[in-house]
């Protein structure tokens, strides 16, 4: 029994279903999801629709770069097999600037506040992967923070 987490209500659902219900949240997190989505702008519209005024949106994803291909696909999927081969399609990876533009196009009342890189530390020997935030290096993974303004209605 953990008093900090015992009230969490886990649900197996989609952002589309949550949006249809009209549910609003202080924070919406979509971590390592958007690179698997067929229509990223539609997905982001649903995410921002679920934000309360002054709510925060956090997105993490993989940059479309040569480094990400080498690390996320070749390294993680085919060499170390940390991730099942075929999990990612490099063509669906989104650059930080593309994601910024998509987020801002998804809702005229949302603004991107910060984009930080997440730099991998890979140990082939132990088959492990850890991450550090980076102010400058978004070449492989990155996380974006955006805020929906209070005049969203």
């Amino acid at each position: 029994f953990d008093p900090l987490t015992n009230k969490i209500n886990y649900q197996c659902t989609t952002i589309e279903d949550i949006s249809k219900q009209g549910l609003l949240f202080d924070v919406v997190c979509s971590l390592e999801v958007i690179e698997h989505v067929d229509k990223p702008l539609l997905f982001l519209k649903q995410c921002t629709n679920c934000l309360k005024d002054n709510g925060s949106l956090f997105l993490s994803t993989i940059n479309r770069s040569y480094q990400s291909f080498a690390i996320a696909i070749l390294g993680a999927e085919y060499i170390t097999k940390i991730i099942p081969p075929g999990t990612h399609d490099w063509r669906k990876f989104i650059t930080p600037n593309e994601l910024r533009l998509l987020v801002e196009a998804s809702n005229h009342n949302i603004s991107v506040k910060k984009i930080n890189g997440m730099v991998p530390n890979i140990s082939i020997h132990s088959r492990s992967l850890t991450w550090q935030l980076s102010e400058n290096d978004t070449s492989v993974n990155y996380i974006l923070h955006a805020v929906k303004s209070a005049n969203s209605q």
Side-chain angles (χ1 to χ4, degrees):
F1 174 76
D2 183 345
L4 297 176
T5 60
N6 71 333
K7 293 184 181 179
I8 295 175
N9 178 9
Y10 292 98
Q11 297 181 18
C12 183
T13 188
T14 65
I15 192 67
E16 293 81 7
D17 287 343
I18 292 170
S19 181
K20 285 178 192 171
Q21 294 175 43
L23 298 174
L24 297 176
F25 301 91
D26 295 314
V27 176
V28 172
C29 294
S30 174
L31 309 178
E32 305 304 313
V33 174
I34 198 163
E35 69 270 18
H36 303 282
V37 172
D38 289 327
K39 297 179 181 175
L41 181 58
L42 180 60
F43 175 77
L44 290 170
K45 285 181 180 182
Q46 299 298 325
C47 290
T48 59
N49 285 344
C50 293
L51 276 177
K52 290 181 182 177
D53 290 343
N54 299 310
S56 286
L57 174 67
F58 292 94
L59 303 165
S60 69
T61 192
I62 305 172
N63 193 353
R64 191 178 57 255
S65 66
Y66 294 118
Q67 297 95 323
S68 70
F69 183 82
I71 292 172
I73 294 179
L74 294 179
E77 292 185 22
Y78 292 95
I79 295 171
T80 65
K81 299 189 190 282
I82 294 170
I83 301 168
T87 297
H88 295 104
D89 178 348
W90 186 79
R91 296 167 297 184
K92 289 179 128 181
F93 291 176
I94 301 171
T95 69
N97 190 54
E98 290 169 345
L99 188 58
R100 175 189 300 276
L101 293 172
L102 284 166
V103 167
E104 291 174 349
S106 72
N107 185 306
H108 68 278
N109 291 310
I110 196 158
S111 60
V112 174
K113 299 299 181 186
K114 190 156 182 94
I115 298 175
N116 275 105
M118 297 189 308
V119 181
N121 295 314
I122 299 172
S123 171
I124 295 175
H125 176 70
S126 65
R127 298 179 86 182
S128 67
L129 178 67
T130 60
W131 298 92
Q132 294 176 328
L133 287 178
S134 169
E135 291 285 327
N136 305 312
D137 187 355
T138 59
S139 63
V140 179
N141 275 77
Y142 62 95
I143 189 163
L144 176 147
H145 173 229
V147 174
K148 186 176 182 180
S149 64
N151 58 352
S152 64
Q153 297 302 330

